[in-house]
Amino acid sequence: MSAAYDLNEMVDLFAISRSSRRSDLMTEKIATLPLREAVALVIEDWADDKFRQLSAVIQLPSGQSIRSLDDIRQLYECAADGGGTKRPD
C-alpha cells in the first residue's frame, strides 16, 4: 500500500544540468522548502523553461526522489485541489 505525500514536508529542490564543456551532469540545489512550494516553483515559475522543468528533481528526506515532470504535475494539481496524493509505486 502506498503512503500519501505530505505536501508540507520539507524537501530539497535540485536542477540537473549538463556542463557545456564536459558531458558530466551537474547538480544545483535550488532550495529547501515544503513540497507544495517546490512543485509550484517547478510548474509555475519554471513554466517558460521546459528544459529546466524536465531537469527538476525533488529529494524527499526519506531518500526517495521525484524526477518525473508528470509526477510533479500530479502533485501540483493535488496541492491546488487541497488534497493528498499517493506515492507512485
Side-chain angles (χ1 to χ4, degrees):
M1 182 175 177
S2 297
Y5 283 105
D6 175 359
L7 294 171
N8 294 314
E9 178 179 16
M10 295 301 287
V11 298
D12 291 325
L13 174 62
F14 292 90
I16 309 296
S17 62
R18 198 174 285 282
S19 171
S20 59
R21 295 183 186 172
R22 301 179 356 200
S23 62
D24 296 347
L25 293 178
M26 299 173 57
T27 304
E28 176 186 1
K29 184 174 178 180
I30 304 300
T32 299
L33 59 168
L35 179 56
R36 178 185 314 274
E37 292 178 28
V39 296
L41 180 67
V42 172
I43 300 302
E44 295 174 4
D45 294 355
W46 296 2
D48 61 342
D49 188 342
K50 189 68 167 181
F51 179 78
R52 192 168 190 192
Q53 278 188 315
L54 290 171
S55 67
V57 175
I58 297 173
Q59 186 69 44
L60 303 171
S62 65
Q64 294 182 348
S65 60
I66 303 167
R67 296 178 175 268
S68 163
L69 182 57
D70 288 336
D71 290 342
I72 294 172
R73 275 194 188 114
Q74 288 176 350
L75 285 169
Y76 176 77
E77 290 169 6
C78 181
D81 292 342
T85 187
K86 297 216 179 269
R87 293 181 188 259
D89 291 330

